[in-house]
Amino acid sequence: MFIAMNRFRVKAAQADAFEKVWRDRESRLGKMPGFMRFHLLKSGSLGEAVEFVSHTTWLAESDFENWRVSDASRAAHSGTTPVKEMLLGPPEFRGYAMIMDQATGERTDFRSAHMDLLVEKTFAIESSVQQVLREWGEESGLPPIRIGAYEGRILECLLRSAGARRGLEIGTLGGYSASWLLRALPEDGHLTSLELDPRRAERAQAKFNELGLGSKITVIAGDAKGLFEGKLKDINNLDFIFIDADKASYPLYIDLCVPRLRKGGLLLADNAFIWGGMNFLGMDPEKLPPSLQKGYHEYSRPQFEGMSEAWKKLATHPDLKAVILPTGEGLGLAVKI
């Protein structure tokens, strides 16, 4: 493997613009053969300058060289203000062959963005229905917070292994995750999906009806707690429940869901790492650094505290055996005993 590092001294007034260029660059890197991982490091202000270090990992040096001369690379460095005009002097480049990449403890870890992409392309093939739902969600302007095909395939395999027939989802959004859950169910199976936003719920149900899946899924609008205490108060003996909603409320969802599962039923919870925030598990929330992510992928103090409590509940609940699967965003998996 090959690591490419660039060190930049950037005009302090241009630091935010420079950071945006490099954040946008990541989406282009992900499409390049051989790309594995990207980091952007930033120092504090050094007078008139801010120092950045760009760190990319590649399968081979030749993959990095292909990136350097690609149209994608040229596009990443273009903009209203060219990168070179943001700099105080030329960048410093160093390339390294990787000698060791060892996880702590007794674990080895060979995962990378490249490996995840290979797995997804090989195993997580979307159906035509799923392609329609994904594209429809993007065209409808839904926030980009749905699961990926990689996580969807994991969900499908888990549900098939459990012989699932009836289940519930908290957080419909555009129905993409529901499509993977439905894919695991038999012809007479059924999914109930809860969506807080009434308009989204109505549109998702209409889309499923249009795609010929309306008899297998019922999308219900409303707050999960109110629905469990009202319209769904008699629902029980479910084979699975999948949670992908407000992260701060995960402890509440766990309390609501466990009694509704049959023995051997699965409780699944997405975003269990809250975008890296759970690296700080056990730390005083007052001392936490701000989120390293921006936009939709940021975590708040309530989300951190909620997910911390959710981890504790999953780990210690007397009716559950649980673990966090190390997908990119973390997938909580619990079996009711």
Side-chain angles (χ1 to χ4, degrees):
M1 286 184 282
F2 180 77
I3 293 177
M5 295 183 67
N6 281 289
R7 188 182 302 273
F8 306 90
R9 292 184 71 247
V10 179
K11 297 172 185 176
Q14 295 288 340
D16 289 346
F18 180 87
E19 183 177 337
K20 182 179 186 304
V21 168
W22 248 247
R23 288 185 182 279
D24 293 344
R25 185 177 188 241
E26 184 179 15
S27 64
R28 296 184 173 92
L29 283 167
K31 298 174 183 177
M32 292 298 297
F35 169 70
M36 300 185 72
R37 196 176 299 275
F38 170 71
H39 292 100
L40 181 64
L41 313 179
K42 179 182 179 181
S43 74
S45 178
L46 304 172
E48 64 177 0
V50 174
E51 189 171 273
F52 288 86
V53 176
S54 169
H55 174 295
T56 53
T57 306
W58 303 82
L59 278 179
E61 185 174 358
S62 59
D63 295 316
F64 170 69
E65 292 298 335
N66 289 337
W67 154 254
R68 288 184 65 179
V69 299
S70 69
D71 291 340
S73 178
R74 283 189 285 272
H77 289 81
S78 65
T80 52
T81 304
V83 169
K84 63 182 180 181
E85 295 182 14
M86 304 179 187
L87 303 180
L88 292 168
E92 176 187 343
F93 173 76
R94 292 286 186 274
Y96 302 89
M98 184 178 291
I99 304 301
M100 184 184 300
D101 181 17
Q102 179 63 49
T104 58
E106 298 180 358
R107 293 186 64 244
T108 53
D109 186 359
F110 299 104
R111 282 190 63 235
S112 66
H114 176 72
M115 186 71 75
D116 285 353
L117 188 60
L118 287 177
V119 171
E120 184 166 309
K121 286 183 174 179
T122 305
F123 295 97
I125 309 301
E126 292 180 323
S127 68
S128 58
V129 166
Q130 290 170 319
Q131 292 174 11
V132 168
L133 283 168
R134 173 173 51 77
E135 293 168 1
W136 173 71
E138 293 168 357
E139 293 167 359
S140 299
L142 292 174
I145 54 175
R146 59 170 175 77
I147 65 167
Y150 175 71
E151 291 81 10
R153 185 63 158 179
I154 292 173
L155 293 173
E156 180 191 354
C157 290
L158 289 170
L159 298 193
R160 287 184 182 275
S161 69
R165 304 176 71 86
R166 296 172 58 248
L168 184 139
E169 174 185 47
I170 301 178
T172 310
L173 194 63
Y176 185 77
S177 56
S179 74
W180 284 98
L181 303 175
L182 290 171
R183 189 163 160 171
L185 303 184
E187 285 301 315
D188 61 347
H190 190 269
L191 173 68
T192 301
S193 186
L194 312 185
E195 171 55 51
L196 182 63
D197 186 313
R199 177 60 177 153
R200 286 182 186 169
E202 179 184 357
R203 295 185 67 206
Q205 184 68 67
K207 194 65 179 179
F208 281 118
N209 294 345
E210 176 188 319
L211 294 170
L213 294 170
S215 63
K216 294 188 68 173
I217 180 169
T218 302
V219 183
I220 302 176
D223 170 72
K225 184 175 185 295
L227 290 171
F228 273 115
E229 293 174 348
K231 185 179 292 187
L232 301 177
K233 67 179 189 305
D234 294 325
I235 194 170
N236 53 46
N237 288 320
L238 294 171
D239 299 308
F240 69 91
I241 299 177
F242 175 56
I243 305 170
D244 189 7
D246 172 36
K247 313 311 167 192
S249 299
Y250 271 34
L252 170 64
Y253 296 149
I254 292 170
D255 289 341
L256 292 171
C257 291
V258 173
R260 315 287 177 156
L261 288 169
R262 65 166 171 83
K263 284 194 175 183
L266 301 180
L267 180 62
L268 302 147
D270 196 31
N271 302 122
F273 292 159
I274 54 167
W275 310 288
M278 293 309 292
N279 281 300
F280 306 105
L281 179 66
M283 291 179 59
D284 182 351
E286 296 288 350
K287 298 179 180 179
L288 291 182
S291 170
L292 298 179
Q293 304 291 332
K294 293 189 176 181
Y296 291 108
H297 290 167
E298 63 183 357
Y299 60 90
S300 63
R301 177 174 172 176
Q303 289 173 325
F304 173 77
E305 293 178 335
M307 193 61 73
S308 297
E309 180 63 21
W311 276 39
K312 181 179 178 181
K313 284 181 178 289
L314 290 175
T316 62
H317 198 293
D319 295 331
L320 298 176
K321 292 293 182 184
V323 71
I324 306 296
L325 298 180
T327 61
E329 297 189 358
L331 178 65
L333 165 64
V335 182
K336 185 172 181 179
I337 58 174

